[in-house]
Amino acid sequence: MRLRALSRRVVLATSAATVATVVFGAQTAFATDDSFTVYSDDSGFCGSAEFVDYGPGAAGGGNNDDYLVIHDLCSDSRGVRAYAWVNGEYLGAKNNTNGLSGAPVVWDPFGNVTGMQVVGLKVCLFDSDNVLTHCHEGENTILDG
């Protein structure tokens, strides 16, 4: 009888360990939303670049991973320029000159960002003479890619 009771305890302990592994293992499978936004000014008006970890992407392209949405939110005769880096490697710049009533610009300079890479953004306003103003930078370490 003691052997039977001991067997039940081993089975129960093994089952509990299996359940814990499944539950905690499943938690690591949940994606982390690493999205973040950098604004051209402290008030959050006029321009921004939004790093989207996962979302709808460009119209008609279906869901996508790791791209920027550049917003021009002011009717001020200035455009918005976004710069992008991954782990310090410069990926380029893209402009949004659509203005307040125009569409945001979707730009994917990243390909696929993997876990623990650092995405850096810089956002500036610029005028017709290409003079940059109101520049701000930000970065985020991407947790799960």
Side-chain angles (χ1 to χ4, degrees):
M1 193 97 143
R2 286 186 94 197
L3 185 57
R4 193 178 259 170
L6 183 59
S7 296
R8 267 192 229 144
R9 285 185 190 155
V10 169
V11 168
L12 288 174
T14 304
S15 297
T18 302
V19 168
T21 301
V22 169
V23 169
F24 292 119
Q27 287 179 348
T28 60
F30 291 120
T32 300
D33 184 1
D34 293 313
S35 301
F36 70 103
T37 303
V38 176
Y39 298 94
S40 62
D41 59 308
D42 293 330
S43 63
F45 296 111
C46 289
S48 68
E50 174 187 4
F51 175 81
V52 180
D53 186 31
Y54 184 78
N63 283 340
N64 194 357
D65 193 25
D66 308 329
Y67 61 91
L68 291 179
V69 180
I70 306 166
H71 298 276
D72 186 348
L73 303 171
C74 287
S75 180
D76 60 359
S77 300
R78 292 187 285 187
V80 177
R81 181 171 297 149
Y83 301 85
W85 291 265
V86 171
N87 289 339
E89 180 183 340
Y90 179 64
L91 302 176
K94 184 86 169 178
N95 295 337
N96 180 341
T97 57
N98 296 336
L100 178 61
S101 60
V105 171
V106 176
W107 178 40
D108 186 358
F110 302 105
N112 187 38
V113 178
T114 60
M116 302 316 293
Q117 288 188 310
V118 178
V119 171
L121 304 177
K122 179 177 179 179
V123 181
C124 300
L125 302 181
F126 68 96
D127 62 20
S128 59
D129 293 327
N130 214 25
V131 174
L132 299 174
T133 61
H134 297 88
C135 295
H136 281 86
E137 296 182 36
E139 64 180 31
N140 192 27
T141 301
I142 306 306
L143 298 178
D144 63 357

